[in-house]
């Protein structure tokens, strides 16, 4: 059989070269055209938040992506994957993609977000809540920039740019020859995660001097939040609050070790989970302690609850309250001692009290102390932020450089001194405001604060990513156990019938960018092949005429004498 085929092809080449040319060139083109596209790049993408809170859906509701890439400058974005860089991002461009029913949106972020200009960072921080406020079926992903991804973006931008000043032929040629990319995710459609447990931790230092001792509760939530869970590191909010709480636990555990400095206050430390989801961990902890048990420090004599939130920067310190404290109460004593320490030891700090009533009509509470206020427990939140609405409390831009270690250390000393003056009743004993308790071997360890903040910001801590077996929970439990007694875990799971919160999976996927040619390229290729075959057909049909013309042209002219 092979010998016969060889003989046929040999005869074709010897006797009919034009026919051979016609048969083989189109065959080669046809065989080459459908070769599978080569994967240009494989990279990790992080999906926008998807969750339900109190029955209200937030974020993107889709995870599947298989469509061609376009830049936002393209005129038609329908069923296309819109790629844009953070430096070019705006809410108007984002809304344009949604209005035109884009197939997906991919936002390219710099690897080191701290290098971005501050105005761009601030602008994106303010846009994150708006992006999450509206539910969308368009998959929205974030990717970290690298050389290959930047090359894909540049080529997509070139092919998508409008050719207003060019002729129709130039536009057609540009469209046909431009490189395109098919963006495909490897994951499945997102689905609700069942039986997810949010973990909180508590520990205590028991006072001395009687049974009905007053209790001071110190609280900080450890989870982070941003437009994309896998990119939410929460350095200032609330890595700073957790690191401060651990340092306060260390300092007061040393004081409570010695009989001479063992105070007549119980100190209860609570590291709460689900803080960014309306303080779900705190809510369940209060229910367990106030409704489902007969013996709890929260039921007896609570002096006040002090919540620590976003304390790693700035020279302002705000005490947020739902109800101004009355004189001769422990709450007023704390306010007075904070003012005393600031005035005597840290005059560069601007301290103020911010009064805001609890608004139960809002979907979420403003500050964590409001959870305690609803249960009629006196509570405050200390923060360097004047308002709960400021964007840095819930942003992927809240990274490690946003925490100023010197200011975090100063704020920790300030709060520790104020608390010590409360538990030891120093003002009533006539101690001057300049008196410092935490000095020399008892001073705040800046290295300890730094290591905790570094550890917390080395991993995303979104509530959807921190389960009960997470290293974040186990490490926090270990750190609390070094200084406190009776360290225990508390879990909160959503109700199966009427869940207060629902989390979804597929928050991190692998995306492939396949290099492809546009459909117009295939059309032009078909036209070229058809024209080629037509020309060859005419040449064969009129071969004699064609041959005589060629011979006449190529024949050397004879000289006439």
């Amino acid at each position: 059989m092979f010998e016969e085929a060889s003989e046929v092809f040999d005869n074709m080449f010897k006797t009919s070269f034009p026919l051979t040319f016609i048969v083989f060139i189109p065959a080669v083109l046809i065989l080459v055209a459908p070769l599978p596209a080569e994967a240009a790049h494989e990279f990790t993408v992080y999906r926008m938040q998807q969750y339900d809170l109190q029955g209200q859906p937030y974020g993107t509701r889709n995870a599947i992506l298989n469509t061609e890439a376009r830049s936002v400058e393209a005129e038609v974005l329908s069923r296309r994957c819109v790629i844009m860089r953070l430096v070019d991002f705006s809410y108007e461009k984002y809304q344009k993609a949604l209005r035109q029913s884009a197939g997906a949106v991919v936002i390219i972020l710099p690897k080191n977000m701290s290098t971005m200009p501050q105005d761009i960072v601030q602008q994106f921080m303010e846009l994150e809540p708006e992006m999450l406020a509206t539910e969308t079926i368009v998959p929205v992903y974030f990717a970290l920039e690298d050389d290959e991804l930047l090359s894909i973006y540049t080529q997509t931008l070139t092919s998508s740019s409008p050719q207003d000043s060019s002729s129709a032929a130039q536009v057609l040629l540009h469209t046909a020859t431009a490189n395109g990319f098919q963006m495909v995710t490897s994951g499945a459609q997102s689905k609700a995660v069942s039986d997810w447990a949010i973990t909180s931790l508590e520990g205590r230092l028991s006072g001395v001097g009687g049974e009905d001792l007053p209790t001071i509760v110190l609280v900080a939530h450890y989870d982070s939040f941003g437009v994309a869970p896998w990119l939410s590191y929460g350095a200032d909010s609330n890595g700073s609050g957790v690191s401060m709480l651990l340092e306060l636990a260390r300092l007061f555990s040393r004081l409570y070790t010695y009989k001479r400095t063992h105070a007549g206050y119980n100190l209860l430390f609570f590291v709460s989970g689900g803080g960014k989801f309306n303080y779900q961990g705190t809510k369940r902890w209060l229910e367990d302690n106030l409704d489902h048990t007969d013996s709890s420090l929260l039921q007896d004599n609570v002096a006040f609850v002090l919540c620590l939130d976003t304390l790693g920067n700035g020279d302002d310190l705000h005490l947020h309250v739902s109800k101004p404290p009355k004189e001769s109460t422990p709450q007023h004593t704390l306010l007075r001692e904070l003012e005393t320490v600031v005035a005597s030891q840290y005059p560069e700090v601007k301290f103020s009290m911010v009064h805001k009533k609890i608004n139960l009509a809002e979907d979420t509470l403003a500050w964590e102390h409001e959870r305690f206020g609803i249960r009629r427990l006196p509570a405050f939140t200390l923060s360097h932020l004047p308002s709960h609405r400021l964007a840095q409390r819930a942003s992927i831009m809240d990274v490690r450089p946003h925490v100023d270690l010197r200011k975090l250390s100063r704020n920790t000393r300030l709060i520790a001194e104020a608390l010590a003056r409360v538990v030891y009743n120093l003002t009533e004993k006539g101690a001057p405001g300049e008196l410092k308790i935490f000095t020399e071997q008892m001073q705040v360890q800046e290295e300890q604060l730094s290591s905790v903040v570094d550890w917390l910001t080395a991993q995303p801590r979104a509530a959807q990513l921190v389960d009960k077996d997470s290293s974040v929970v186990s490490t926090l439990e270990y750190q609390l156990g070094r200084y406190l007694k009776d360290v225990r875990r508390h879990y909160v799971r959503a109700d199966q019938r009427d869940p207060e919160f629902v989390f979804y999976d597929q928050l991190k996927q692998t995306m492939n960018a396949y290099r492809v040619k546009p459909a117009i390229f295939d059309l032009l290729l078909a036209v070229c092949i058809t024209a080629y075959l037509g020309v060859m057909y005419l040449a064969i049909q009129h071969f004699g005429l064609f041959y005589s013309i060629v011979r006449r042209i190529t024949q050397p002219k004879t000289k006439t004498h």
Side-chain angles (χ1 to χ4, degrees), residues 309-505:
D309 190 338
T310 321
L311 289 157
N313 216 322
D315 289 324
D316 296 323
L317 196 59
H318 303 281
L319 187 69
H320 296 272
V321 301
S322 302
K323 184 186 294 185
K326 297 179 180 179
E327 290 191 16
S328 303
T329 62
Q331 307 94 272
H332 188 269
T333 302
L334 174 66
L335 173 62
R336 184 188 61 196
E337 299 296 3
L338 283 169
E339 292 172 339
T340 299
V341 173
V342 167
S344 303
Q345 303 180 26
Y346 303 98
E348 75 276 10
V349 176
K350 300 180 181 66
F351 176 76
S352 65
M353 184 179 70
V354 180
H355 175 216
K356 177 193 169 299
K357 292 183 178 180
I358 301 175
N359 186 0
L360 295 177
E362 293 273 347
D363 293 334
T364 57
L365 298 176
W367 298 98
E368 190 159 12
H369 73 266
E370 295 184 353
R371 275 285 171 217
F372 296 89
I374 291 173
R375 301 304 299 259
R376 300 188 179 281
L377 293 174
F380 321 95
T381 294
L382 264 175
S383 174
H384 72 78
L385 300 179
S387 170
H388 67 284
R389 299 188 185 278
L390 292 178
Q392 50 263 54
R393 292 189 71 212
S395 174
I396 61 175
M397 297 296 169
D398 183 15
V399 290
R400 177 62 180 86
H402 280 216
V403 174
D404 187 325
L405 193 59
R406 290 182 295 107
K407 293 182 178 179
L408 175 60
S409 178
R410 179 202 63 196
N411 291 341
T412 305
R413 292 194 301 271
L414 190 159
I415 294 169
E417 294 287 352
L419 285 173
R421 295 183 69 86
V422 171
V423 298
Y424 295 116
N425 201 18
L426 294 183
T427 298
E428 296 298 325
K429 294 177 180 179
E434 296 82 6
L435 176 66
K436 293 185 179 181
I437 307 298
F438 299 98
T439 58
E440 299 178 354
Q441 290 155 357
M442 285 292 297
Q443 67 182 345
V444 171
Q445 293 184 357
E446 198 167 293
E447 298 82 6
Q448 175 83 0
L449 286 170
S450 178
S451 62
V452 173
V453 172
D454 290 343
W455 165 69
L456 287 171
T457 55
Q459 61 217 312
R461 304 187 316 280
Q464 304 99 312
L465 308 179
V466 183
D467 62 10
K468 59 189 175 85
D469 299 319
S470 168
S471 62
V472 173
V473 174
S474 58
T475 306
L476 285 172
E477 186 176 32
Y478 169 76
Q479 291 293 331
L480 289 173
R482 292 176 61 189
Y483 313 122
L484 309 177
K485 305 295 184 184
D486 300 327
V487 174
R488 291 184 293 170
R489 292 189 179 196
H490 295 268
Y491 300 106
V492 52
R493 290 180 171 86
D495 185 80
Q496 295 294 326
R497 290 174 296 180
D498 186 21
E500 288 194 40
F501 62 92
V502 179
F503 296 147
Y504 293 81
D505 60 7

Side-chain angles (χ1 to χ4, degrees), residues 214-400:
T215 298
I216 294 175
V217 186
L218 299 175
V219 181
H221 65 272
Y222 65 81
D223 56 308
S224 56
F225 189 85
V227 69
W230 274 96
L231 298 174
S232 304
Y233 295 94
D236 197 9
S237 180
N238 193 31
S240 63
V242 173
S243 60
M244 182 181 289
L245 183 141
L246 292 176
E247 182 64 4
L248 291 174
R250 185 188 71 83
L251 293 173
F252 280 92
S253 69
R254 296 194 64 181
L255 288 174
Y256 275 48
T257 300
Y258 304 104
K259 185 176 182 180
R260 191 165 60 91
T261 55
H262 201 156
Y265 276 82
N266 297 316
L267 299 182
L268 185 59
F269 295 82
F270 183 59
V271 182
S272 62
K276 303 299 186 181
F277 291 90
N278 213 17
Y279 308 104
Q280 295 295 329
T282 302
K283 180 183 179 184
R284 178 57 58 88
W285 185 60
L286 287 170
E287 291 172 352
D288 291 343
N289 280 275
L290 299 179
D291 302 334
H292 304 147
T293 184
D294 294 330
S295 59
S296 167
L297 290 178
L298 294 180
Q299 288 181 338
D300 301 330
N301 182 11
V302 175
F304 56 81
V305 180
L306 182 61
C307 302
L308 308 173
D309 190 338
T310 321
L311 289 157
N313 216 322
D315 289 324
D316 296 323
L317 196 59
H318 303 281
L319 187 69
H320 296 272
V321 301
S322 302
K323 184 186 294 185
K326 297 179 180 179
E327 290 191 16
S328 303
T329 62
Q331 307 94 272
H332 188 269
T333 302
L334 174 66
L335 173 62
R336 184 188 61 196
E337 299 296 3
L338 283 169
E339 292 172 339
T340 299
V341 173
V342 167
S344 303
Q345 303 180 26
Y346 303 98
E348 75 276 10
V349 176
K350 300 180 181 66
F351 176 76
S352 65
M353 184 179 70
V354 180
H355 175 216
K356 177 193 169 299
K357 292 183 178 180
I358 301 175
N359 186 0
L360 295 177
E362 293 273 347
D363 293 334
T364 57
L365 298 176
W367 298 98
E368 190 159 12
H369 73 266
E370 295 184 353
R371 275 285 171 217
F372 296 89
I374 291 173
R375 301 304 299 259
R376 300 188 179 281
L377 293 174
F380 321 95
T381 294
L382 264 175
S383 174
H384 72 78
L385 300 179
S387 170
H388 67 284
R389 299 188 185 278
L390 292 178
Q392 50 263 54
R393 292 189 71 212
S395 174
I396 61 175
M397 297 296 169
D398 183 15
V399 290
R400 177 62 180 86

Side-chain angles (χ1 to χ4, degrees), residues 205-218:
L205 292 171
S206 299
V208 67
E211 293 186 1
D212 190 23
L213 296 177
T215 298
I216 294 175
V217 186
L218 299 175

